[in-house]
Amino acid sequence: MKGWIVQHAQAMGFTLRRLVRAPVASLLNILVMGIALSLPAGAYVLLENLQALSGQVNSAPQVSLFLALDAARSDVEKTEARLKSHPEVKRYRFVPRDQALADLKRNAGLADVVESLKQNPLPDAFVVDARSGAADALERLSRELRQWPKVEHVQLDTAWARRLDALLQLGRLAVLALATLLAFTLVAVTFNTIRLQVLTQRDEIEVAKLIGATDGFIRRPFLYFGALQGLAGGIAAWVVIGAFLALLNGPLSELSQLYAASLYLRHLPLQDSLSLLGFSAWLGWLGAWLSVSKHLQQVNPA
Amino acid sequence: MISFSQVNKRYPGGFEALKNISFSVERGEMVFITGHSGAGKSTLLKLIPAIERPTSGSLLVSGQNVGAMRPGAVPYLRRNFGLVFQDHKLLFDRSVFDNVMLPLAIGGFETREAARRARAALDKVGLLEKERAYPITLSGGEQQRLCIARAVVSRPSILIADEPTGNLDSAYASEIMDIFRAFNQVGVTVLIATHDEAVLERMKPRVIRLARGALLP
């Protein structure tokens, strides 16, 4: 057990020295990997931010039900009773027309326009949360509500949110495809680096084999090297994305001030960051493993 | 300890390097293998640590059949041997001390114990004061002694040397041979291939003679 730890520690130390001994080559490799990884990871970050934004706007299954302008108090009560007993309705909120007008006045700087109106043009309304978010269930519900007396208009609020969701889904697929392609790049870069290392360390490998080194022992520093380089590439990607977001967030905050909203692009959360680093380290390891397994056979002492 | 029985070795291309070789070496023996260049001395020695495999016949080392050994077991077999090469096979990108540390790293020794052993091995071959030097700065005789230090540092039970004095003048050569004899005297089995008849005259050891791949009586 102790010998095992010592061997791994030695391999690690050896690997670090090897990285440091060729700083320019290592740095370039790490940059290539970082940039390759930052493309899909950066796109993922943007998608996540869009997703969060659409979540803020509310993508719960909601239906707005507007009564006719001439609906009486009794009509409102009747509709409310029917909603209460409807099995598909989870929750509803009544918005009286006076309150809707007051909201409008307060909200969007339309006070002048509203003041100029002779009468309230807004109807009474219900905001209905459906029990099921499924598209066809919502469609059925809204069609049914439309048949009720004194109901002027029924609107599915979630239509655009679902459209956005579908777009995001497509974007995610694109990111996945891009990530897969660029993962190959990372493996290929490592493969080539390790191939060169195996060739330049031919003598060393040969001697080690002659004095009883197992393939595992010989492979170990190369695997560490690949994983370490991959990890560094992941860190580089993380930093590149961070810099990119910092660059975007400046103008974005100015823009969002103009719209009186707060828009801010967030970096990857901790768990996703760790996944990124773990994945890039694994890819480096994989590239090194493929390379060293292939090229070690060519170095045979004679 | 080592026993050849009807061993043949044919290289790809048809060259027959060894023909029907049978002999055995007991534990603690010191055996010289002689013959002209191309007689098969190197091939014979390479069979023992499974660097080359026999084409037919059986080769037993400590009861294990080396000829049929699977590749995964070979590294562990090799750890029983100390190998000394005519061309030394030293690593020139690391110090004398680190060269000697290599077999111990492979064996998984704890660093302090390994350093102690490495210094003891360097002391035995008289290179202790050069532990920080790089092999390129050593003379031919010193490089050969360093190779011996690396071979014995993990305390193998069998030392195998292929032309250890091939490139050395006679003063260095007898120095090297004295080192081998010292190891033999503490119980290490030693096999040395050489074409240096002067050494044989002086030491009068057991000699196995090869000519064109076959044993001479």
Side-chain angles (χ1 to χ4, degrees):
Chain A
M1 185 63 197
K2 204 169 170 189
W4 186 82
I5 292 173
V6 168
Q7 282 200 331
H8 278 266
Q10 282 170 348
M12 197 64 187
F14 200 64
T15 307
L16 283 174
R17 257 173 280 143
R18 210 180 270 176
L19 261 175
V20 172
R21 217 182 293 161
V24 178
S26 302
L27 211 66
L28 281 175
N29 274 331
I30 289 165
L31 261 180
V32 167
M33 292 178 178
I35 291 166
L37 278 172
S38 68
L39 281 171
Y44 176 79
V45 167
L46 289 180
L47 280 179
E48 285 301 292
N49 276 295
L50 259 176
Q51 169 87 9
L53 200 67
S54 82
Q56 263 173 29
V57 176
N58 188 3
S59 60
Q62 251 182 14
V63 177
S64 300
L65 183 154
F66 300 98
L67 294 179
L69 276 174
D70 61 350
R73 186 90 207 128
S74 62
D75 293 322
V76 173
E77 276 162 14
K78 244 182 269 169
T79 310
E80 189 169 358
R82 289 182 79 168
L83 281 175
K84 199 175 244 169
S85 61
H86 197 286
E88 281 290 310
V89 173
K90 189 161 81 183
R91 229 187 354 251
Y92 64 88
R93 188 162 52 87
F94 177 57
V95 185
R97 49 191 303 197
D98 299 337
Q99 194 200 323
L101 189 68
D103 282 351
L104 193 63
K105 225 187 257 179
R106 201 173 44 238
N107 244 358
L110 292 169
D112 292 345
V113 183
V114 174
E115 287 299 346
S116 72
L117 293 171
K118 290 190 184 64
Q119 59 176 53
N120 185 353
L122 300 175
D124 285 323
F126 287 93
V127 177
V128 179
D129 286 338
R131 207 168 282 285
S132 153
D136 52 345
L138 280 173
E139 196 61 44
R140 216 177 319 115
L141 180 64
S142 65
R143 219 178 305 127
E144 188 190 337
L145 297 183
R146 219 167 271 147
Q147 309 296 320
W148 290 3
K150 290 291 178 190
V151 170
E152 182 74 28
H153 183 66
V154 176
Q155 189 178 332
L156 264 170
D157 292 345
T158 55
W160 76 270
R162 282 197 290 121
R163 248 172 253 144
L164 182 65
D165 264 357
L167 265 174
L168 286 175
Q169 202 66 38
L170 198 68
R172 247 180 243 125
L173 218 61
V175 165
L176 197 69
L178 193 66
T180 313
L181 275 178
L182 291 169
F184 279 115
T185 315
L186 212 143
V187 171
V189 168
T190 320
F191 186 90
N192 214 27
T193 314
I194 297 296
R195 187 179 67 89
L196 285 174
Q197 280 189 5
V198 169
L199 290 182
T200 54
Q201 277 157 19
R202 234 193 147 86
D203 291 346
E204 194 172 329
I205 293 170
E206 202 181 301
V207 170
K209 275 191 169 181
L210 279 175
I211 55 187
T214 56
D215 281 357
F217 178 88
I218 294 169
R219 214 179 272 145
R220 200 169 296 135
F222 294 106
L223 296 183
Y224 270 134
F225 187 91
L228 218 61
Q229 206 179 45
L231 182 69
I235 293 171
W238 198 88
V239 171
V240 166
I241 295 169
F244 187 65
L245 291 182
L247 212 66
L248 278 183
N249 269 332
L252 199 63
S253 76
E254 277 175 36
L255 188 74
S256 60
Q257 258 166 18
L258 292 179
Y259 284 93
S262 99
L263 293 173
Y264 179 77
L265 294 173
R266 259 167 241 286
H267 207 311
L268 285 173
L270 182 67
Q271 201 179 342
D272 287 352
S273 298
L274 291 180
S275 303
L276 172 70
L277 298 187
F279 185 60
S280 58
W282 180 77
L283 284 175
W285 182 90
L286 180 70
W289 187 83
L290 288 174
S291 185
V292 91
S293 300
K294 178 160 166 34
H295 297 112
L296 216 52
Q297 305 307 322
Q298 296 168 7
V299 183
N300 260 323
Chain B
M1 179 136 234
I2 300 171
S3 105
F4 283 72
S5 122
Q6 297 175 329
V7 169
N8 289 283
K9 173 65 187 177
R10 190 200 313 261
Y11 282 108
F15 176 65
E16 267 193 273
L18 294 174
K19 291 169 224 159
N20 200 22
I21 303 288
S22 298
F23 70 92
S24 58
V25 176
E26 299 305 318
R27 185 183 300 275
E29 261 193 294
M30 184 165 188
V31 178
F32 280 73
I33 296 159
T34 64
H36 294 291
S37 297
K41 304 187 294 288
S42 291
T43 303
L44 188 102
L45 290 186
K46 279 178 186 170
L47 291 177
I48 300 170
I51 298 169
E52 294 288 350
R53 303 293 188 114
T55 315
S56 66
S58 82
L59 163 56
L60 300 180
V61 175
S62 310
Q64 286 179 290
N65 187 350
V66 173
M69 190 172 268
R70 60 186 179 81
V74 169
Y76 302 98
L77 169 78
R78 287 186 186 157
R79 291 181 197 176
N80 298 318
F81 303 116
L83 301 181
V84 178
F85 310 95
Q86 184 177 5
D87 60 353
H88 320 316
K89 293 197 193 296
L90 298 171
L91 297 176
F92 288 94
D93 63 343
R94 53 182 83 186
S95 67
V96 164
F97 180 73
D98 287 338
N99 264 283
V100 179
M101 285 289 273
L102 185 63
L104 301 172
I106 289 168
F109 278 87
E110 186 250 330
T111 316
R112 203 173 316 148
E113 166 70 6
R116 202 182 59 71
R117 280 194 179 204
R119 294 216 166 81
L122 283 172
D123 194 26
K124 262 182 223 161
V125 299
L127 282 177
L128 191 53
E129 72 282 7
K130 298 221 172 179
E131 67 169 29
R132 285 172 193 283
Y134 279 77
I136 199 75
T137 65
L138 302 180
S139 71
E142 284 172 331
Q143 290 191 4
Q144 192 56 274
R145 281 189 278 154
L146 175 54
C147 186
I148 294 172
R150 188 183 62 189
V152 300
V153 72
S154 50
R155 296 178 190 162
S157 51
I158 305 169
L159 256 179
I160 296 174
D162 188 5
E163 299 278 9
T165 59
N167 300 324
L168 304 178
D169 60 40
S170 59
Y172 272 140
S174 64
E175 199 176 88
I176 297 288
M177 286 302 168
D178 288 342
I179 293 173
F180 281 118
R181 189 147 56 179
F183 280 109
N184 179 242
Q185 275 160 3
V186 296
V188 179
T189 309
V190 181
L191 268 86
I192 301 173
T194 183
H195 62 265
D196 187 352
E197 295 287 336
V199 171
L200 304 180
E201 287 293 311
R202 196 164 58 86
M203 294 177 84
K204 306 223 182 302
R206 175 182 169 195
V207 178
I208 290 172
R209 293 182 191 279
L210 279 174
R212 283 186 225 95
L215 284 184
L216 292 181

